[in-house]
Amino acid sequence: MSEFRIDQIKNQAGISGPNVAGITTFTGTSGIVMPSGTTAGRFAKDFISDGLVFYVDISLKECYNPGISSTVYDPISGITDDEVTGSPTFSAADNDGPDRLVFDGEDDGILFDRCDPILGFGPGNPLTISVWAKIDKEEDGTATIFSIQRCNNPGFQIWVDGGSGAFRAADYIGRIAFRMSNWFVVDTRTGEEQVLNGQMASGKEAPYVDGRGYWVNIVAVYYGTNAQLYINGKLSGFHKNVAYSWTAPTNPTSGSSIGIMRRFPCGNSGFTNGEFNHCAMYRRALSSQEILHNYNVLKGRFGL
């Protein structure tokens, strides 16, 4: 089995975008391809849509319809995938979770290639990423859950720790973390401020929480010099001195890629053994109240 690869859909200002499962899109003045008409049925009920620029929900047939095809697509930007040589396995809703894609950790993954021209990233733009995933309890590698990169900066990644490398410790296998370039925020479930290399402001090591083996909502927020990590609607850790911001959008022929349960193959692809249901990206920083709201909207489908 292999990956999904998403290729950029080119749109020009003033020209209608693609029709995706009957959804008409248009290119706004900001350059972001947005849906036209009523959008209420395209997202989970009551899910916050203000500032939303990317949305994938395996429980929503407008994003993934296993009865018709294995295509994964985003009804906001209109970018769709092109199946290469296989796919993750679809698993219908049951006692273990909602409709979901199951990844083998070897060569499965979703890759939206060269997306930043469509999504409209700009210098210093704030960003919020929300992902619902269940990482296999036996996953022992550096498992990528979400990433924005293409062997170039900016680099934004959410992952489960493999227990090796300069900013990791062997007894932290399974710890959830995210980074903006080389500035890291790790899961502590305490809300205490984090600094570089996973150390607390007090100088003590961050407590260890294993994020594997259960459904979890991970939200990473970046704005200005601040980076925050939320786990299941609650602040887990944050970093106040991130000295890095988004660069200008890269050239469309070499732009950044969005990876889900993998990353662009810069050294390795970080394929992840686990299950995925939902991902949303906002080009703004959601408040703690909004993050908790979205968590409460979706938690029922995961039995929480």
Side-chain angles (χ1 to χ4, degrees), residues 159 161 165-169 172 175 177-188 193-201 203-207 238-239:
W159 76 95
D161 216 323
F167 60 94
R168 309 182 185 101
Y172 281 1
R175 181 181 61 182
F178 95 94
R179 73 176 186 178
M180 277 289 302
S181 187
N182 288 320
W183 280 263
F184 303 96
V185 183
V186 301
D187 175 19
T188 69
E193 179 181 352
Q194 301 299 296
V195 296
L196 189 62
N197 295 330
Q199 300 292 312
M200 292 186 179
K204 297 179 180 179
E205 290 189 355
F238 59 96
H239 192 322

Side-chain angles (χ1 to χ4, degrees), residues 76-246:
I76 299 179
S77 67
I79 51 178
T80 63
D81 75 324
D82 179 19
E83 186 177 352
V84 181
T85 58
S87 71
T89 302
F90 174 75
S91 182
D94 55 23
N95 291 334
D96 293 326
D99 289 351
R100 56 203 182 271
L101 291 178
V102 181
F103 299 78
D104 63 9
E106 297 181 1
D107 57 4
D108 288 348
I110 301 173
L111 190 68
F112 295 77
D113 202 8
R114 303 183 179 98
C115 291
D116 42 353
I118 284 182
L119 297 178
F121 292 133
N125 285 159
L127 183 66
T128 300
I129 305 294
S130 172
V131 182
W132 281 90
K134 179 181 179 182
I135 306 307
D136 191 274
K137 63 182 179 180
E138 301 300 326
E139 173 63 67
D140 60 0
T142 302
T144 303
I145 299 170
F146 179 92
S147 70
I148 305 174
Q149 70 166 151
R150 191 182 167 84
C151 298
N152 63 324
N153 286 324
F156 185 105
Q157 293 186 40
I158 301 172
W159 76 95
V160 170
D161 216 323
S164 63
F167 60 94
R168 309 182 185 101
D171 58 350
Y172 281 1
I173 295 176
R175 181 181 61 182
I176 297 169
F178 95 94
R179 73 176 186 178
M180 277 289 302
S181 187
N182 288 320
W183 280 263
F184 303 96
V185 183
V186 301
D187 175 19
T188 69
R189 312 286 169 102
T190 67
E192 185 171 347
E193 179 181 352
Q194 301 299 296
V195 296
L196 189 62
N197 295 330
Q199 300 292 312
M200 292 186 179
S202 62
K204 297 179 180 179
E205 290 189 355
Y208 167 61
V209 180
D210 194 332
R212 299 171 297 173
Y214 53 91
W215 284 103
V216 62
N217 177 218
I218 305 165
V219 179
V221 182
Y222 163 73
Y223 60 99
T225 60
N226 297 277
Q228 300 172 328
L229 178 65
Y230 290 78
I231 302 295
N232 289 346
K234 296 181 179 180
L235 182 67
S236 170
F238 59 96
H239 192 322
K240 287 185 176 180
N241 300 301
V242 175
Y244 193 85
S245 64
W246 293 107

